[in-house]
Amino acid sequence: MDVRFQHSPCDVSKVKSVQFGILSPEEIRQISVALIEHGETTEKGKPKVGGLSDPRLGTTERKLKCETCMASMAECPGHFGHLELAKPMFHIGFIKTVLTILRCVCFNCSKILANKDDIRFKQALKIRNPKNRLRRIYDVCKGKRICYITDETGGPEEEDVIEFAKKKKGGCGAQQPNITIDGMKIIAEYKISKKKNDNNQEQQINLENTEKKQLLTAEKVLNVLKRITNEDSQRLGFNPEYVRPDWMILQTLPIPPLATRPAVMMNTSNKSESLREGWKL
Ligand SMILES: [Zn+2]
Ligand SMILES: [Zn+2]
C-alpha cells in the first residue's frame, strides 16, 4: 500500500453489501458539503467559495488544506458538492427508460394503463427480473389510448368511456397521447377523433388537450413520474427504496470532489481545467 494513504482523518465505514440505484435529489443534497452556485473557480488567486473549486470539496494544492476535513491534499479523500438546476432536465442515459415508463402510465393520473384483470398483465407481474417485467408490462400497455379501458373484452361505447373507467377500474378515463422521442426531445401527440352529437354537428372529442402536438418539457414529464405510486414503481421494475422513476429526471447535480478532477499543470503559470472549461461552455 502506498504509504501516503495509510492514514485518513475521515470516518471510515465497512462495506456490508453493494446495492446499485440512482441517487434521489434529496440524497445528493445530503452527501453534499457545499452548494455550488458559481462557474468561476478562483477569486483573487484563491479557490472561490461556492465556485466549482470550492475549498470544501477538497484541495489539489499542496499548500492548501481541505476546509471540510482540514486534511492536506494527500490525506483528504475529497467531498461532493451539489448544484440545484434552475429547471429539471432529461438525463441522456435515462431518457429511453423514461419514454418506456411514460408509455406505460396514464399521462393524466400516472396509473399503469394496463387492465389489472388482463391475463397478460397478471403474467407480466410474475416475472421476477425487473427489466424483463418492465418490457412485458410495456407490451401490455402500449397502444392503450384511454386510461384503464380494456381492448379485448369489448370495452364500452365511446361516450361511456369516462364513466366506465371511473366505475369499473378506477382509472381517470383520460385520452392518452402518442409519445415519441426525437433526440433529446419528447413529443406528445393527441389523436383528435370526431363524432356526431345529438344535433348532428361534428364535434371534436379531445378529452385532454386541444393542442394536437406538444413538446414535453422535463418539468411536465417529472410531474407525471412523481405521481407514480411506489407500488406501481415496483411493478414497473423500480424498487422505490433505491430508484424511483422521477429520479431519472435531473433536478440536482452532484459536483464531484476536486481530487477526481485535478487540474493538469501545463507550466508554472497555466493550468488546464478541461472539466471546468467545459462547464463554462
Ligand atoms: Zn477533506
Ligand atoms: Zn388516468
Side-chain angles (χ1 to χ4, degrees), residues 61-260:
E61 290 182 44
R62 278 178 203 285
K63 60 182 190 300
L64 295 177
K65 284 196 182 303
C66 164
E67 289 195 5
T68 296
C69 65
M70 302 313 289
S72 65
M73 184 180 105
E75 291 169 331
C76 164
H79 315 275
F80 272 89
H82 79 289
L83 182 152
E84 299 287 347
L85 292 177
K87 270 180 180 287
M89 285 173 69
F90 293 120
H91 186 300
I92 193 163
F94 299 136
I95 195 162
K96 285 198 172 141
T97 310
V98 164
L99 179 74
T100 305
I101 299 169
L102 281 180
R103 285 169 170 172
C104 290
V105 300
C106 172
F107 197 62
N108 184 49
C109 72
S110 302
K111 287 183 180 166
I112 295 178
L113 286 168
N115 178 355
K116 303 291 179 286
D117 300 328
D118 188 334
I119 185 76
R120 290 180 304 153
F121 181 63
K122 287 181 178 172
Q123 280 169 346
L125 289 182
K126 287 183 189 154
I127 297 171
R128 294 188 66 179
N129 179 308
K131 203 173 174 181
N132 296 343
R133 189 163 72 241
L134 175 62
R135 180 61 40 200
R136 285 285 292 279
I137 291 179
Y138 170 72
D139 285 341
V140 181
C141 293
K142 71 178 175 197
K144 296 259 183 213
R145 284 291 158 258
I146 300 285
C147 179
Y148 269 27
I149 297 303
T150 62
D151 46 1
E152 62 237 49
T153 53
E157 293 295 312
E158 212 161 321
E159 46 264 56
D160 302 326
V161 152
I162 298 173
E163 277 310 302
F164 175 86
K166 281 183 187 159
K167 263 190 271 170
K168 288 276 192 187
K169 306 290 175 197
C172 71
Q175 187 192 358
Q176 301 301 313
N178 185 31
I179 300 172
T180 49
I181 189 169
D182 177 15
M184 286 296 282
K185 290 181 191 147
I186 296 185
I187 300 142
E189 199 169 351
Y190 285 93
K191 213 176 179 181
I192 300 174
S193 49
K194 293 183 174 183
K195 73 160 191 173
K196 295 195 172 181
N197 67 8
D198 292 344
N199 302 325
N200 247 6
Q201 284 171 326
E202 284 218 324
Q203 191 191 15
Q204 287 186 334
I205 32 168
N206 189 355
L207 301 168
E208 254 307 282
N209 216 304
T210 44
E211 290 267 302
K212 209 180 161 221
K213 205 171 181 179
Q214 56 172 267
L215 197 65
L216 293 183
T217 60
E219 209 165 3
K220 168 70 191 161
V221 172
L222 177 65
N223 285 333
V224 174
L225 300 181
K226 267 186 175 171
R227 283 198 304 263
I228 298 176
T229 61
N230 280 345
E231 195 186 8
D232 275 353
S233 292
Q234 186 85 49
R235 288 174 172 145
L236 291 169
F238 302 90
N239 182 340
E241 243 183 276
Y242 308 113
V243 50
R244 270 195 48 90
D246 45 290
W247 300 350
M248 285 188 280
I249 304 288
L250 292 173
Q251 301 161 72
T252 303
L253 271 190
I255 304 294
L258 282 183
T260 65

Side-chain angles (χ1 to χ4, degrees), residues 5-15 75 77:
F5 298 114
Q6 275 183 355
H7 167 74
S8 167
C10 291
D11 287 339
V12 285
S13 311
K14 281 196 174 145
V15 177
E75 291 169 331

